[in-house]
Each structure stands twice: as structure tokens, then as C-alpha cells.
Amino acid sequence: MHLTNVEEKMLAGEEGYAVQKNMQILTALGDIFGADKMIPVSSVQVAGVSYYNLGDAGLEYLETLANKGAKVRVKTTLNPAGMDMENWRELGIDEEFARKQEQVIRAFVQMGITPSCTCTPYLVGNEPSRGDHIAWSESSAVTYANSVLGAMTNREGGPSALAAAITGLTPSYGMHIEANRKPQVHVKIDTRLAAVPDYGALGYAVGKKIGPKIPLFEGITHAQVEQLKSLCASIATYGGTALFHTQETYQEKEIPPETITITRADIEGALRALNDEAARVDFVALGCPHCTLDEIKTIADLLEGKKVTREFWICTARQTMKEAEEMGYAQRIRAAGAKFACDTCMAVAPLKGRFNVLATDSAKACYYGRGTNDFKTRIGSVEECVSAAVTGNWS
Ligand code: F3S
């Protein structure tokens, strides 16, 4: 890979240990993927924030970098942590975990990273523009950035995203190259997609059929942010897709010859596959990816005059929760007994063994609920989830 004089000096250690170490990571990555040069990035999203996933080895790595003077050079935000950083006791997190998680966040902050702790950075101020090269490492946000915002990012891992933040660079390969972003499969949607779970089911069905190939969707028009973020999360989880196009975003004439059609039967089959046989629910979690203000308003309206009988988490960015407080939605939600889980989510918090059956509107949450926490899962509309939180029944 060709490096400029400045980049050579960074690699040689002239800008200190942290820059050298992270240049080594990026040049190794570039060599593996055949990159010919480094390119500057304007925004970074770092995943791998939960102490649940990092453990002591990850924490030690971050503290070493921070103590050796690592500082980020571009706007850098964080993915969800393993707990609500202010309200962890109410969510049942133990003291020892909380102390370690606080150490993790302190190390990131010492490096100059904004502790936003959300998987929807694009909703709270880290919103790149079309054509921007960025290095994001949250799969749902990567797909959203590439497909909806038109920015250009590979699916980074936590360490490579952090390396991009500390050097301001990323190797030029994959999604950073225009020629690699062409659609590969024409996906005709031959059914009306209704609520958010339908978009999650679409991501599941298409992901299972075409894997990481790039789809061009025919039949998605005027989709809302909530629907698109659900699709992004699901297609990235079940197919590994980092980019899709829709007829609204794709301006070229060239249509890929490989075509598949998604019917109502595919959507219903996906919803069936994500629904386990379980009549009773003991945990309800919404906000995968993190809830928008509109979603929070809907939950507040549905909870009006009701009391929940099951643990009910609304996962969202702290900034969005504060906006919900200003609007009075948050108070109505808390009055019903539901809880905000800011800075965290149902997948990265240490929940294994605490619950048996998760109800959610998110296909991605089903994947992690089953895989990470051994939960049975029920997927349905926000109305069905709120009803389950009140009655404990899934109907
Ligand atoms: Fe976000 Fe957690 Fe889902 S990070 S996309 S809420 S699994």
C-alpha cells in the first residue's frame, strides 16, 4: 500500500505510541484487503463499548491507549454500553459491572470521544453527508450510513474504527470504492409492508436469500426513518449486507440481472421463524436500533392510563430521552412503570439468566435475544409489545 510521507512517519512512531500502534492495525488491514492507499475519514462510530463484551482484556487495551496519549482526530461517537450510565441500579446492573463499565467510558472520554452510547448516531448529531468517507463499526448504522445517508463506510470492527479515529485515516477498499457499490440483486417486493416488524422481516428474508450481496429494492418508497433503521439492522444481521439501494436512491439505468421476488408468504415466514412458541412474556424491549422521538411518543400514547406488569425497557439515546422529557412523553412512560434504558440495549446489557421470553418489534433483537441471552422471542407490532408488557400475555 502506498503511504504518504506523513503516514510513513506516523507508522514509524514519530507521532507517538498510540498513533504508531493504530497505523499498524490499519496498514495490516489494508494489506489483507488489497487497499492501495489510506484515505481521510470525517466521522467514526466505535462499537465494542460494553464491558459485557470487552472484558478485562478489552478494558486494559483501552486504558493503555488512553494513558499513552491517544486522542481522536475526527468526530467520534460511541455505540451502546452495557448499562444506562446514570440509571443502572434501576435496571438491575450489579455494582462491580457498573464500576468496570464506568472505567471503559472514562478511557474513551480521555481519548476525546463523545460518550453518546447509541447505535443511532445519525439521530443525535453524527450525521455524515452523501459521499463522505467514514469508519463506522455498528452494523445497523453502517448499513444506514451507506444506504440511506449515502456516506461510504466498511463494516469496521471496534479496534479498526478506533484506529481510524486516532489516525483520521482508513484503508481505501470495499465500500469506499464507487465501483464496489453497484447493486448485485434486483429485489422486487410484491407485498405491502406495514409496520416496523415487516421491515425487519424483509431484512431477514432477503438476508437469508442473498447473503451479503447488494440489493436494489423495487417497492420501498417513502419509508420512514423507523422502518429504514429496522430494515438496516435486520439485513445487516441476517445477511451481512452493508449497503442496499432503493429506486429512490439509485439513479443509474443498469439493473442487475439476478432477480428475486419477496411475497407476503416470505414476510410471514420470516415472522414465524422469529416467533418462538411462548404464551407468556417476562421482558419487553423496544428500541433496536434505538428509538426515535416519534417511537417514544407512540409508546407513551399506548401506555396512557395503564400499568405494566413486566420489565419493560425503552432503549434510546440519552439525548432523545431528554427530548422526550421536554415533550412530557417520558414522564407518562415512567408513570406506567416502564423504564428508559439509555446508553445501552437489550443485547449488550448483562441480561443472561434474568428473563426467559423477550417481546420486541425488532428482528435484530430476536437474533441477539436468542444467541446471546438464550431467550425465547416474540416479535410483533409496538401495540402487541405494549399489550404484552401490561398483561404478560402474547396473543
Ligand atoms: Fe442497537 Fe443494541 Fe439493536 S446496539 S441495533 S439496540 S442490538
Side-chain angles (χ1 to χ4, degrees), residues 133-176:
H133 291 279
I134 63 174
W136 281 17
S137 62
E138 152 55 38
S139 65
S140 69
V142 163
T143 307
Y144 194 95
N146 277 320
S147 314
V148 181
L149 304 178
M152 301 169 94
T153 178
N154 287 316
R155 275 174 69 136
E156 301 292 347
S160 65
L162 185 57
I166 290 167
T167 60
L169 300 166
T170 197
S172 176
Y173 70 94
M175 290 293 111
H176 291 288

Side-chain angles (χ1 to χ4, degrees), residues 124 291-301 314-334 339-342:
V124 292
C291 279
T292 64
L293 190 60
D294 276 356
E295 286 177 310
I296 293 173
K297 177 184 186 305
T298 302
I299 297 164
D301 290 346
I314 291 118
C315 305
T316 192
R318 182 164 301 283
Q319 183 177 318
T320 310
M321 185 274 288
K322 291 207 164 122
E323 287 164 22
E325 281 179 338
E326 277 163 28
M327 300 300 290
Y329 310 150
Q331 294 81 337
R332 287 158 57 203
I333 285 171
R334 292 191 185 111
K339 298 171 184 173
F340 279 93
C342 298

Side-chain angles (χ1 to χ4, degrees), residues 79-80 119 138 140 233 287-290 315 344-348 364-365 368:
N79 227 37
C119 49
E138 152 55 38
S140 69
C288 174
H290 275 175
C315 305
T344 188
C345 80
M346 69 299 277
V348 295
K364 178 174 178 177
Y368 284 99

